[in-house]
Amino acid sequence: GPHDGALIHLDEAEAVSEEKHIGDSPQDAYVFELNMSFGCQYRITGLFKTQLATGIMGMEDSPKSFWKQMYNQGVIDEKRFSLCFSRQPTASREGTEAGAMTIGGTDTRFHSTPMLYARNVQSTSYGIRLKAIYLRKNGGESALPDNAEEQVVHNIGVGESTMANWRIIVDSGTTDTYLPSSIHSQFSNVWKEITGHAFNNSPMNLSPEELLALPTVLFQVEAHQPSIDEELDPETTPGLSGLVDAHNPHDILIAMPASHYMEWSEKSDMYTPRIYMSERSGGVLGANTMQGHDVHFDSENNRIGWAESDCDYMGLISGVADTDRS
C-alpha cells in the first residue's frame, strides 16, 4: 500500500509496464481505498495518559478489524497480515521508527531466517500452545546460539502437561509479556543459578556488557504440522528446537533476549525487566516478545509465522531492490 516514500520511483513509461508492482508508489494508494467503519473516542479517563499512541487499531479476526474490512471489501485477497517490530531504545512524540505492518501477507525482504509456523489455537484472537520455557546462559539475540557446542540452556522445569492448560495469546497491543504466577519460583531459581541473584521486576543498573550477558528467554511452541519443512535442519535453522528438544525438533523456538525484555529509562538510566509472572492462568506474549521478528498472522491457514528480522523499514525503502514478496 502507500508508503512514506516510494519503494520504486516510476516514470510514465514504467507506470504502464506489466513489470510495475501496484503499491510501489504512494500514487497507487487509491487501489487500496475502502469504506472503513471505526469508533471515535468520546471520553478520556487518563488510563493511557503517558503513552504516545492516540488510538487502537484492532487486528483480531473479526468483521470490524482493519484488515478484515479490507478483505471483506476485496482490497486484499487473503486473510493474512504481518507485524514486524524493531527495537528502539527511546520513543519520541515527534515519531520513532517502529518497524512495518504488511497487510495481505508477509514481505520476505524483512526476513533474516526462514518463516516458521506455529499452530494458532484460538479462533478470533491469536494463541499458541507453549511447551517449554528455557533460559540460555550468556544471552544471544537469535534462537540459534552463536556456538552450539558451548550453549548452556536450562529448562525452568514446568511440565508440558501443565502448560497445555494455559491460554497463551500473542498480542501486539500488550506492551510487555505476562506468564502465570505459579511458575515464578521455578523461573527465579533458574535465573538465580545463572546470574547469581533472584528474578524480580525492580530497576537495575547495568552496563551494556552486563545487559547483553543476561539470559535469553526461549519459548518452545507447538508447530503447525502442515507447514513443517522437513528439508530444514532442526539443529542449524534459527527458530527450530532441535538443539533443545530432540524429540520435537520441528517445534518453534522464539528467542527473547535481554535487549527486548529489559526496558531502559532515560530518566533513571536504569533497566527494568518487563516479563511479569502475575497471571492466574495463561498469559500473553506481548510486543516485547514479538520484537526482532516478522510475525505473520495467517488466518487463512490457522497459523502464526515467526521469522527473525531487524524490521528495518527505512533501510528497506531507501535502497533495497529485491521485491520478492509472498
Side-chain angles (χ1 to χ4, degrees), residues 69-104:
Q69 290 188 61
M70 295 181 73
Y71 174 78
N72 289 338
Q73 295 182 45
V75 179
I76 58 175
D77 297 327
E78 296 186 318
K79 295 182 287 185
R80 306 189 298 161
F81 69 92
S82 297
L83 298 176
C84 200
F85 291 161
S86 60
R87 173 65 171 174
Q88 303 297 332
T90 59
S92 167
R93 292 191 180 277
E94 285 69 44
T96 302
E97 182 188 350
M101 177 170 64
T102 306
I103 304 292

Side-chain angles (χ1 to χ4, degrees), residues 134-137 152-154 156 187 190-191 194 215-217:
Y134 307 89
L135 297 182
R136 184 172 67 202
K137 189 176 181 180
V152 179
V153 174
H154 299 265
I156 69 167
F187 188 100
V190 175
W191 179 278
I194 295 174
T216 293
V217 182

Side-chain angles (χ1 to χ4, degrees), residues 190-213:
V190 175
W191 179 278
K192 185 175 182 179
E193 182 180 344
I194 295 174
T195 67
H197 57 84
F199 180 86
N200 60 57
N201 295 104
S202 300
M204 304 166 64
N205 278 308
L206 296 170
S207 68
E209 294 75 20
E210 289 171 329
L211 173 69
L212 296 178

Side-chain angles (χ1 to χ4, degrees), residues 241-285:
S241 298
L243 290 176
V244 295
D245 186 352
H247 297 291
N248 300 282
H250 289 282
D251 278 347
I252 311 306
L253 200 64
I254 301 167
M256 189 184 192
S259 58
H260 294 180
Y261 65 74
M262 298 295 288
E263 182 178 70
W264 178 68
S265 168
E266 186 175 15
K267 183 177 181 180
S268 66
D269 193 25
M270 299 180 77
Y271 290 91
T272 302
R274 295 299 185 184
I275 301 175
Y276 296 94
M277 279 150 281
S278 57
E279 304 303 290
R280 293 173 62 182
S281 64
V284 182
L285 301 186

